[in-house]
Amino acid sequence: MDPFVYNGLPARVIFGPGSLEHLAREIELLGATRAIVLCTPQQRGDAEALATRLGNRAAGVFAEAVMHVPVETARQARDFAAQAGADCAIAIGGGSTTGLGKAIALETGLPILAIPTTYAGSEMTPIYGLTEGGLKKTGRDLRVLPKTVIYDPLLTTSLPPALSLTSGINAIAHAAEGLYAQDANPVVSLMAEEGIRALGEGLPRVMNEPGNLEARSDCLYGAWLCGAVLGSVGMALHHKLCHTLGGSFNLPHAETHTIVLPHVLAYNRDAAPLAMRRMARALRADDAAQAVFDLAREHGAPTALKQLGVTAENLQVALELALKNPYWNPRPVERAPLRALLEAAFEGRRPA
Ligand code: NAD
């Protein structure tokens, strides 16, 4: 076995249908007494119900979370937390809401208790993003890592099937790149393979029956593991491309990951054969790139960048941006094959 470094990230995880009932105990264990609740405008109802359940431990609901964490929203949320005298922030929602919690924690050190309701995995990472003047900056800081995460699959049954699928493939992308990461290690690879397996089995069942709690539990468990992979090891070309495309053309996060992933896997296929075998094994398929493409297509997810409104001119811009300071990748990132990759993703061709 090759020598390796494993960096375990601290977080307490409470998992299971109905686990939200332990919220008050978990806040107490954090040593907190006044929690603000963060959410998107769409999830205000859930956040308010949660605040009611907390009674005098709730310090207010801030329902302004939006995608990519604009600095102005982060500032408003920090002011809201300070005025409310909060000593803890609860983030109930997807990556956008967790991201807002992280922006508060980055400046104030307020502990975050995350209650994820999508499969994005942000709750398991010390990575934060902030957008200012249209530019998204990301960074790593342990202060933003949630201290406690409550995974309650009951809260995910309302996640629309289309978003469940793309969010699940977004999670698979973290694990896929974790398997061939430059700093991959055997422990994180175990989590990656198991995360892909759980999502590969759970997602088709969720698509057939969105209220199936067993399937929802499998997916949320898989998302947790995939998020932990994202938090532990470095990502490569796929995450770079999605960041570039999403940030430059304001594309929806999970859909962009869903469309791009099969093509990056095909690009890296020969450079990372062991990772590809493990992924294919987890998905019970012969080829990882085709299996991810088929998972998306068979259940009606978008498979072409042009479906998201990307234009041929945008592709050229994305190509130039991705070639500037590329991430480490198992196969060198070169103009001609990268151009071919982007064209295949643009057209939505099944990887050969
Ligand atoms: P999201 O948080 O933007 O949620 C999408 C929509 O779904 C929102 O309107 C939300 O309110 C709604 N929603 C969420 N859960 C729901 C549920 N159970 N039922 C009904 N509606 C629900 O989407 P996302 O894909 O989870 O997160 C994307 C964002 O997270 C991006 O900005 C991305 O960059 C970031 N992200 C960050 C990290 C990290 O490590 N920092 C990791 C992954 C994603």
Side-chain angles (χ1 to χ4, degrees), residues 90-341:
I90 299 174
I92 179 164
S96 298
T97 303
T98 310
L100 181 60
K102 288 175 165 183
I104 300 177
L106 185 66
E107 295 265 322
T108 63
L110 216 62
I112 307 172
L113 186 153
I115 307 173
T117 61
T118 70
Y119 306 132
S122 173
E123 68 283 353
M124 279 292 133
T125 84
I127 305 163
Y128 63 87
L130 276 169
T131 304
E132 185 162 25
L135 262 187
K136 185 168 179 178
K137 283 184 269 171
T138 57
R140 288 180 90 95
D141 193 312
L142 270 181
R143 268 180 311 178
V144 310
L145 183 73
K147 301 277 183 288
T148 305
V149 181
I150 297 181
Y151 284 109
D152 188 338
L154 279 171
L155 299 173
T156 62
T157 53
S158 57
L159 188 63
L163 184 51
S164 302
L165 178 61
T166 54
S167 186
I169 296 177
N170 179 200
I172 290 176
H174 309 328
E177 296 232 288
L179 280 170
Y180 55 61
Q182 194 176 20
D183 53 351
N185 67 70
V187 180
V188 168
S189 294
L190 275 178
M191 293 190 208
E193 190 174 338
E194 172 67 354
I196 296 172
R197 183 205 60 74
L199 282 157
E201 286 181 12
L203 286 173
R205 284 152 57 221
V206 160
M207 296 310 288
N208 290 335
E209 196 189 341
N212 182 324
L213 209 50
E214 269 301 313
R216 286 289 185 182
S217 298
D218 285 351
C219 288
L220 198 57
Y221 163 69
W224 161 24
L225 296 177
C226 294
V229 173
L230 174 68
S232 298
V233 295
M235 296 288 111
L237 176 62
H238 172 77
H239 281 75
K240 168 76 179 180
L241 270 186
C242 291
H243 187 84
T244 302
L245 285 163
S248 308
F249 312 118
N250 197 24
L251 304 183
H253 178 80
E255 283 94 328
T256 307
H257 274 262
T258 299
I259 293 168
V260 172
L261 183 62
H263 304 286
V264 174
L265 294 180
Y267 186 97
N268 285 335
R269 190 187 274 137
D270 295 337
L274 179 60
M276 296 300 157
R277 272 204 300 281
R278 293 188 75 163
M279 236 179 287
R281 181 168 71 192
L283 292 169
R284 296 188 194 179
D286 294 330
D287 180 75
Q290 292 176 344
V292 173
F293 184 88
D294 293 344
L295 176 65
R297 189 174 57 181
E298 279 165 22
H299 296 281
T303 50
L305 286 173
K306 60 185 181 187
Q307 287 171 274
L308 302 186
V310 174
T311 64
E313 292 73 48
N314 293 155
L315 281 195
Q316 188 59 34
V317 177
L319 177 68
E320 300 304 334
L321 287 172
L323 285 168
K324 256 196 235 164
N325 312 315
Y327 283 20
W328 179 87
N329 190 59
R331 173 179 171 190
V333 178
E334 290 164 348
R335 181 175 293 274
L338 185 58
R339 164 113 221 150
L341 181 168

Side-chain angles (χ1 to χ4, degrees), residues 59-92:
V61 172
F62 184 83
E64 309 293 333
V66 288
M67 191 103 111
H68 304 316
V69 197
V71 281
E72 301 77 21
T73 313
R75 211 168 289 133
Q76 282 167 16
R78 276 197 297 272
D79 292 347
F80 182 88
Q83 277 158 20
D87 56 6
C88 162
I90 299 174
I92 179 164

